Amino acid sequence: MTYHVVEDPIKKVAIFGGTHGNELTGVFLVKHWLENGAEIQRTGLEVKPFITNPRAVKKCTRYIDCDLNRVFDHGNLGKKLSEDLPYEVRRAQEINHLFGPKDSEDSYDIIFDLHNTTSNMGCTLILEDSRNDFLIQMFHYIKTSLAPLPCYIYLIEHPSLKYATTRSIAKYPVGIEVGPQPQGVLRADILDQMRKMIKYALDFIHNFNEGKEFPPCAIEVYKIMEKVDYPRNENGEIAAIIHPNLQDQDWKPLRPEDPVFLTLDGKTIPLGGDCTVYPTFVNEAAYYEKKEAFAKTTILTLKAKSIRSSLH
Amino acid sequence: MCSRPEPREPLRHVAVIGGTHGNEMSGVYLAQYWLQAPGELQRPSFSAVPVLANPAATAACRRYVDCDLNRAFTSAFLTARVHPDDPYEAFDFVLDLHNTTASMGTCLIAESAHNIFAMHLCRHKLQSPELPCQVFLYQLPGEESYSVNSMAKSGLGLELGPQPQGVLWADLLVRMRALVATALDFIQLFNQGTAFPAFEMEAYRKVSSVDFPRTEAGDLAGNVHPQLQDQDFEPLRPGAPIFRMFSGKDMLYEGESTVYPVFINEAAYYEKDIAFLQTEKLMFSVPALPMLAP
């Protein structure tokens, strides 16, 4: 017995850059597409490139008052507009007005949000919902198209960690994270990789809208378990740094006895616990203030049913 | 250009400065550590003082708060202040610890080959096979010195990369710590009466800077070409690609002679309109550093 999920065709897509103003690949791809968008247009589809945090982009800083990528919850989006609100909360309300409202029929179908990391994560797609057949199919298509270049899928579904991301106002939110790239720097290799990810994503949507049927598929994903902070002294200062054996080892198996931190006295601190995990966001610059040295993940396989567009 | 005579007295007052740029983390973290555990900076003839140069920028993990501290130390700036309160004047020698996002490896930065003591210190480090490094001379002929270490009677910058801003990598930290130890050992040798003979040394001297290609509005129109990225200190020959435009076209190096680019794609230099610096590779004759009079 085959069982199709029939979905409406995709009409409105947005590509966000500059949600963090010092992650330059998305900033410059979006600026380029605003000038010359031929490469992101597909027949019958509205694709809108958009700079989400222009003030942070201008200053080449992650944010002005607070992280824009953590304020798209109904609490912040519903706050009464006032000058006292952090810039990013006011901006989030504007973005929600333009591309949302979140959880409504009028919101954009898909938002791609372009990010960079200082971690060695390669091409990473971020999934927020493990039961989303459409996005699992899309990620499967992007991963297959990028091969042999690896593409990792990070599932951030978690009972207590809630992100309230900028892209979460769309029906299908897609995070695109490419690294390693320092903040405030543009690398040609990283730019090429991100550009390809967007190309294949738009090709997938185009094929779907044209009536192509995508057979059932399965993808391997890395699901977040927990975040791990740096060891700290009594003043809250970092007392140890990422061990050289762990640096750049994102997505690689990390066993309980493997070293994770090194102190300036030369002491090595192992992972501990009793299971192998897969670390990611290892030594991300922006996460020092979030008290996250790396995140532990576990590998799962997600299956998607066959999908096709309802027009055909 | 003023040539610096070799010191006649032992160097008693030595500073090791981290955090001149608050997001260059190796120096920040080492300085913070040494402030709590200064024993590592002690030698029989002196005790080097750890300094966290820009605590406000360090707290914010930013390069600077109002303007670039490493470009502010010109005499015009200092005399313009009502109370020129310079923290480094009292030092005989200053080591200034920096990181770069460029693939500079281990780079020692002196203002010019006329700084004889610094050149001998570079030579001493270059002789240590486990720490391969390059020497970069940043002063153009006639240019006034403007770095933090220019305020001391002599000084040397340590520039380690690549490392993103706001990040600590253990291997760079270990390397910077070893370099500082070697430098302090050299000063100890000098203070205890060691003479150092004249020598010849290869170094890279700044020629000019090159900006990114830009649109009419001043925005970037391209980025560093993949063939130039991470090629610091490698020869750049006429006709080689240097930028890739967002349109896909390549831009070529049109100079007439081979140069040696450094600080390629350094994050902090975008706002200074610098994509990379061009240097020339030269051989310098450095005179002997005579033994201190007992």
Side-chain angles (χ1 to χ4, degrees):
Chain A
M1 188 182 78
T2 51
Y3 171 33
H4 299 287
V5 178
V6 178
E7 309 216 21
D8 291 336
I10 301 298
K11 295 193 187 71
K12 293 189 295 182
V13 173
I15 305 176
F16 286 176
T19 294
H20 297 135
N22 55 10
E23 297 176 5
L24 293 191
T25 309
V27 170
F28 282 93
L29 280 174
V30 166
K31 279 188 179 174
H32 175 67
W33 291 329
L34 285 167
E35 295 286 311
N36 183 355
E39 103 186 55
I40 53 167
Q41 296 312 320
R42 299 291 183 278
T43 313
L45 191 66
E46 178 196 330
V47 183
K48 191 172 169 54
F50 186 75
I51 295 286
T52 41
N53 196 336
R55 280 183 58 192
V57 167
K58 191 146 191 285
K59 281 186 75 178
C60 195
T61 183
R62 185 173 172 89
Y63 54 77
I64 302 295
D65 294 325
C66 64
D67 189 341
L68 180 65
N69 212 28
R70 300 288 185 274
V71 292
F72 283 77
D73 54 282
H74 288 293
N76 276 306
L77 294 176
K79 275 184 184 155
K80 193 169 173 293
L81 192 59
S82 97
E83 282 302 305
D84 301 335
L85 283 182
Y87 166 70
E88 275 80 7
V89 173
R90 282 181 279 143
R91 185 66 181 158
Q93 295 186 353
E94 286 171 30
I95 294 166
N96 190 42
H97 180 71
L98 290 169
F99 296 94
K102 186 171 175 165
D103 299 328
S104 80
E105 279 302 305
D106 297 331
S107 67
Y108 266 57
D109 297 310
I110 303 177
I111 293 176
F112 297 101
D113 197 11
L114 307 182
H115 289 264
N116 292 121
T117 170
T118 64
S119 306
N120 189 24
M121 289 169 63
C123 295
T124 296
L125 291 160
I126 304 180
L127 183 64
E128 302 196 1
D129 173 7
S130 61
R131 292 168 309 263
N132 194 318
D133 290 301
F134 180 82
L135 285 184
I136 292 170
Q137 287 280 4
M138 180 198 281
F139 288 8
H140 178 261
Y141 180 92
I142 296 171
K143 196 176 157 84
T144 310
S145 304
L146 281 171
L149 186 68
C151 176
Y152 305 92
I153 296 161
Y154 184 32
L155 173 63
I156 59 170
E157 193 176 62
H158 191 276
S160 59
L161 298 170
K162 299 293 175 211
Y163 288 86
T165 58
T166 309
R167 57 190 177 267
S168 68
I169 51 180
K171 294 186 185 78
Y172 300 123
V174 179
I176 295 187
E177 187 81 63
V178 189
Q181 179 172 269
Q183 296 175 345
V185 166
L186 263 181
R187 287 185 62 105
D189 50 356
I190 301 288
L191 190 102
D192 284 347
Q193 290 168 17
M194 190 179 277
R195 213 169 185 171
K196 278 190 190 135
M197 292 172 86
I198 284 292
K199 177 197 173 334
Y200 295 135
L202 294 173
D203 289 349
F204 171 84
I205 298 165
H206 181 69
N207 288 336
F208 173 78
N209 281 354
E210 294 281 297
K212 181 175 156 55
E213 184 179 320
F214 292 87
C217 72
I219 54 173
E220 190 176 78
V221 304
Y222 295 81
K223 183 181 181 179
I224 187 164
M225 299 162 67
E226 61 173 326
K227 298 171 179 178
V228 179
D229 189 15
Y230 293 91
R232 293 181 185 268
N233 64 21
E234 59 273 21
N235 300 327
E237 294 158 345
I238 289 171
I241 62 178
I242 294 288
H243 194 280
N245 291 10
L246 177 57
Q247 180 66 46
D248 297 333
Q249 301 305 305
D250 302 73
W251 311 121
K252 305 269 171 62
L254 184 67
R255 291 167 195 86
E257 66 276 17
D258 289 339
V260 292
F261 295 113
L262 180 70
T263 72
L264 281 188
D265 306 327
K267 216 176 85 187
T268 288
I269 300 169
L271 175 68
D274 51 15
C275 61
T276 295
V277 300
Y278 298 83
T280 191
F281 279 113
V282 176
N283 214 349
E284 158 57 39
Y287 289 177
Y288 278 68
E289 67 174 21
K290 291 190 196 292
K291 302 196 184 324
E292 180 180 346
F294 62 94
K296 291 181 187 173
T297 75
T298 179
I299 294 186
L300 299 179
T301 299
L302 297 184
K303 290 183 177 143
K305 299 181 187 86
S306 169
I307 61 163
R308 71 179 168 84
S309 152
S310 58
L311 270 194
H312 296 267
Chain B
M1 182 167 49
C2 63
S3 162
R4 290 183 191 278
E6 65 276 8
R8 308 278 184 211
E9 301 278 330
L11 305 179
R12 304 279 184 210
H13 304 286
V14 176
V16 183
I17 302 178
T20 295
H21 296 137
N23 55 10
E24 297 177 4
M25 299 298 281
S26 303
V28 168
Y29 196 64
L30 283 171
Q32 282 173 339
Y33 176 74
W34 288 325
L35 283 165
Q36 286 162 22
E40 195 175 319
L41 301 183
Q42 286 165 12
R43 295 294 180 276
S45 63
F46 69 100
S47 293
V49 180
V51 178
L52 195 56
N54 196 341
T58 300
C61 194
R62 275 161 51 181
R63 184 173 174 88
Y64 53 79
V65 175
D66 293 323
C67 70
D68 193 336
L69 183 63
N70 216 27
R71 301 292 183 280
F73 283 89
T74 63
S75 56
F77 173 83
L78 288 173
T79 52
R81 294 161 70 182
V82 183
H83 299 291
D85 175 26
D86 168 49
Y88 306 124
E89 186 119 40
F91 293 110
D92 302 319
F93 196 86
V94 164
L95 285 170
D96 195 11
L97 312 184
H98 288 266
N99 291 121
T100 171
T101 64
S103 287
M104 301 272 287
T106 303
C107 179
L108 311 177
I109 303 185
E111 58 180 348
S112 79
H114 295 271
N115 190 334
I116 295 163
F117 187 82
M119 292 300 275
H120 274 272
L121 177 46
C122 290
R123 154 96 166 170
H124 184 75
K125 290 192 187 192
L126 290 169
Q127 283 171 336
S128 144
E130 63 273 22
L131 293 170
C133 51
Q134 312 282 7
V135 177
F136 171 55
L137 307 171
Y138 64 84
Q139 198 174 51
L140 293 169
E143 191 182 60
E144 190 188 16
S145 176
Y146 51 61
S147 277
V148 163
N149 64 33
S150 67
M151 298 312 300
K153 295 187 186 86
S154 189
L156 191 69
L158 306 184
E159 188 77 64
L160 269 61
Q163 181 174 270
Q165 297 176 345
V167 164
L168 276 167
W169 281 355
D171 54 347
L172 267 82
L173 191 87
V174 167
R175 212 191 314 153
M176 188 173 273
R177 197 177 187 181
L179 284 163
V180 170
T182 311
L184 300 183
D185 291 344
F186 174 80
I187 297 170
Q188 171 61 27
L189 284 175
F190 174 76
N191 283 355
Q192 71 192 33
T194 309
F196 296 90
F199 62 93
E200 293 213 320
M201 186 174 75
E202 198 174 75
Y204 297 82
R205 187 168 73 183
K206 180 179 164 185
V207 177
S208 60
S209 64
V210 177
D211 189 14
F212 290 95
R214 291 188 185 270
T215 64
E216 279 171 23
D219 290 330
L220 294 191
N223 55 9
V224 168
H225 196 277
Q227 288 181 36
L228 179 61
Q229 179 70 46
D230 300 329
Q231 300 303 308
D232 302 74
F233 295 110
E234 296 296 327
L236 175 67
R237 298 189 174 86
I242 49 175
F243 297 111
R244 175 163 289 168
M245 313 300 281
F246 294 133
S247 63
K249 231 179 73 183
D250 284 352
M251 228 173 103
L252 309 180
Y253 168 57
E254 289 174 345
E256 286 174 0
S257 58
T258 296
V259 291
Y260 296 81
V262 300
F263 283 111
I264 299 168
N265 216 352
E266 158 57 38
Y269 289 177
Y270 278 65
E271 66 173 23
K272 297 184 199 292
D273 296 342
I274 297 173
F276 59 91
L277 299 180
Q278 295 182 345
T279 73
E280 52 188 349
K281 187 162 136 181
L282 298 169
M283 204 58 130
F284 291 90
S285 295
V286 180
L289 189 59
M291 196 170 76
L292 281 176

